[in-house]
PDB file of all heavy atoms in Angstrom:
ATOM      1  N   GLY N 154      -5.195  10.570   0.615  1.00  0.00           N
ATOM      2  CA  GLY N 154      -4.401  10.656   1.760  1.00  0.00           C
ATOM      3  C   GLY N 154      -3.857  11.997   1.905  1.00  0.00           C
ATOM      4  O   GLY N 154      -3.763  12.470   3.069  1.00  0.00           O
ATOM      5  N   THR N 155      -3.629  12.759   0.854  1.00  0.00           N
ATOM      6  CA  THR N 155      -3.159  14.130   1.055  1.00  0.00           C
ATOM      7  C   THR N 155      -4.184  14.978   1.735  1.00  0.00           C
ATOM      8  O   THR N 155      -3.781  15.844   2.827  1.00  0.00           O
ATOM      9  CB  THR N 155      -2.904  14.787  -0.361  1.00  0.00           C
ATOM     10  OG1 THR N 155      -1.924  13.959  -1.067  1.00  0.00           O
ATOM     11  CG2 THR N 155      -2.306  16.171  -0.231  1.00  0.00           C
ATOM     12  N   ARG N 156      -5.401  14.853   1.376  1.00  0.00           N
ATOM     13  CA  ARG N 156      -6.418  15.634   2.070  1.00  0.00           C
ATOM     14  C   ARG N 156      -6.535  15.276   3.559  1.00  0.00           C
ATOM     15  O   ARG N 156      -6.763  16.136   4.489  1.00  0.00           O
ATOM     16  CB  ARG N 156      -7.755  15.522   1.362  1.00  0.00           C
ATOM     17  CG  ARG N 156      -7.916  16.363   0.142  1.00  0.00           C
ATOM     18  CD  ARG N 156      -9.395  16.342  -0.488  1.00  0.00           C
ATOM     19  NE  ARG N 156     -10.442  16.538   0.382  1.00  0.00           N
ATOM     20  CZ  ARG N 156     -11.539  16.006   0.362  1.00  0.00           C
ATOM     21  NH1 ARG N 156     -11.807  15.133  -0.509  1.00  0.00           N
ATOM     22  NH2 ARG N 156     -12.527  16.206   1.345  1.00  0.00           N
ATOM     23  N   LEU N 157      -6.480  13.970   3.834  1.00  0.00           N
ATOM     24  CA  LEU N 157      -6.684  13.528   5.154  1.00  0.00           C
ATOM     25  C   LEU N 157      -5.478  13.964   6.050  1.00  0.00           C
ATOM     26  O   LEU N 157      -5.707  14.254   7.220  1.00  0.00           O
ATOM     27  CB  LEU N 157      -6.750  11.958   5.169  1.00  0.00           C
ATOM     28  CG  LEU N 157      -8.167  11.461   5.171  1.00  0.00           C
ATOM     29  CD1 LEU N 157      -8.166  10.049   4.722  1.00  0.00           C
ATOM     30  CD2 LEU N 157      -8.904  11.661   6.408  1.00  0.00           C
ATOM     31  N   ARG N 158      -4.310  13.995   5.518  1.00  0.00           N
ATOM     32  CA  ARG N 158      -3.184  14.401   6.369  1.00  0.00           C
ATOM     33  C   ARG N 158      -3.309  15.884   6.719  1.00  0.00           C
ATOM     34  O   ARG N 158      -2.829  16.284   7.766  1.00  0.00           O
ATOM     35  CB  ARG N 158      -1.887  14.228   5.597  1.00  0.00           C
ATOM     36  CG  ARG N 158      -1.477  12.717   5.621  1.00  0.00           C
ATOM     37  CD  ARG N 158      -0.088  12.532   5.038  1.00  0.00           C
ATOM     38  NE  ARG N 158       0.238  13.027   3.730  1.00  0.00           N
ATOM     39  CZ  ARG N 158      -0.143  12.398   2.594  1.00  0.00           C
ATOM     40  NH1 ARG N 158      -0.643  11.084   2.717  1.00  0.00           N
ATOM     41  NH2 ARG N 158       0.191  12.945   1.451  1.00  0.00           N
ATOM     42  N   GLU N 159      -3.948  16.620   5.896  1.00  0.00           N
ATOM     43  CA  GLU N 159      -4.141  18.149   6.092  1.00  0.00           C
ATOM     44  C   GLU N 159      -5.018  18.319   7.407  1.00  0.00           C
ATOM     45  O   GLU N 159      -4.892  19.293   8.114  1.00  0.00           O
ATOM     46  CB  GLU N 159      -4.776  18.804   4.920  1.00  0.00           C
ATOM     47  CG  GLU N 159      -3.731  18.928   3.760  1.00  0.00           C
ATOM     48  CD  GLU N 159      -4.384  19.386   2.515  1.00  0.00           C
ATOM     49  OE1 GLU N 159      -5.559  19.653   2.450  1.00  0.00           O
ATOM     50  OE2 GLU N 159      -3.656  19.570   1.521  1.00  0.00           O
ATOM     51  N   ASP N 160      -6.109  17.447   7.496  1.00  0.00           N
ATOM     52  CA  ASP N 160      -7.067  17.668   8.598  1.00  0.00           C
ATOM     53  C   ASP N 160      -7.763  16.341   8.903  1.00  0.00           C
ATOM     54  O   ASP N 160      -8.893  16.127   8.635  1.00  0.00           O
ATOM     55  CB  ASP N 160      -8.106  18.708   8.196  1.00  0.00           C
ATOM     56  CG  ASP N 160      -8.812  19.142   9.449  1.00  0.00           C
ATOM     57  OD1 ASP N 160      -8.838  18.581  10.483  1.00  0.00           O
ATOM     58  OD2 ASP N 160      -9.578  20.230   9.417  1.00  0.00           O
ATOM     59  N   PRO N 161      -7.055  15.409   9.599  1.00  0.00           N
ATOM     60  CA  PRO N 161      -7.601  14.061  10.011  1.00  0.00           C
ATOM     61  C   PRO N 161      -8.831  14.158  10.767  1.00  0.00           C
ATOM     62  O   PRO N 161      -9.757  13.272  10.901  1.00  0.00           O
ATOM     63  CB  PRO N 161      -6.522  13.221  10.510  1.00  0.00           C
ATOM     64  CG  PRO N 161      -5.575  14.282  10.974  1.00  0.00           C
ATOM     65  CD  PRO N 161      -5.724  15.539  10.144  1.00  0.00           C
ATOM     66  N   HIS N 162      -8.962  15.200  11.617  1.00  0.00           N
ATOM     67  CA  HIS N 162     -10.041  15.341  12.619  1.00  0.00           C
ATOM     68  C   HIS N 162     -11.437  15.738  11.847  1.00  0.00           C
ATOM     69  O   HIS N 162     -12.360  15.106  12.036  1.00  0.00           O
ATOM     70  CB  HIS N 162      -9.707  16.277  13.748  1.00  0.00           C
ATOM     71  CG  HIS N 162      -8.501  15.891  14.415  1.00  0.00           C
ATOM     72  ND1 HIS N 162      -8.338  14.746  15.251  1.00  0.00           N
ATOM     73  CD2 HIS N 162      -7.138  16.382  14.428  1.00  0.00           C
ATOM     74  CE1 HIS N 162      -7.179  14.586  15.724  1.00  0.00           C
ATOM     75  NE2 HIS N 162      -6.527  15.613  15.211  1.00  0.00           N
ATOM     76  N   ARG N 163     -11.270  16.742  10.918  1.00  0.00           N
ATOM     77  CA  ARG N 163     -12.440  17.160  10.220  1.00  0.00           C
ATOM     78  C   ARG N 163     -12.848  16.048   9.288  1.00  0.00           C
ATOM     79  O   ARG N 163     -14.131  15.865   9.024  1.00  0.00           O
ATOM     80  CB  ARG N 163     -12.044  18.376   9.413  1.00  0.00           C
ATOM     81  CG  ARG N 163     -13.363  18.985   8.780  1.00  0.00           C
ATOM     82  CD  ARG N 163     -13.031  20.383   8.102  1.00  0.00           C
ATOM     83  NE  ARG N 163     -12.026  20.255   6.972  1.00  0.00           N
ATOM     84  CZ  ARG N 163     -12.190  19.861   5.790  1.00  0.00           C
ATOM     85  NH1 ARG N 163     -13.301  19.468   5.316  1.00  0.00           N
ATOM     86  NH2 ARG N 163     -11.070  19.772   4.990  1.00  0.00           N
TER      87      ARG N 163
END
Side-chain angles (χ1 to χ4, degrees):
T155 302
R156 282 185 51 217
L157 270 164
R158 285 189 302 275
E159 291 170 0
D160 194 349
H162 303 292
R163 184 176 60 82

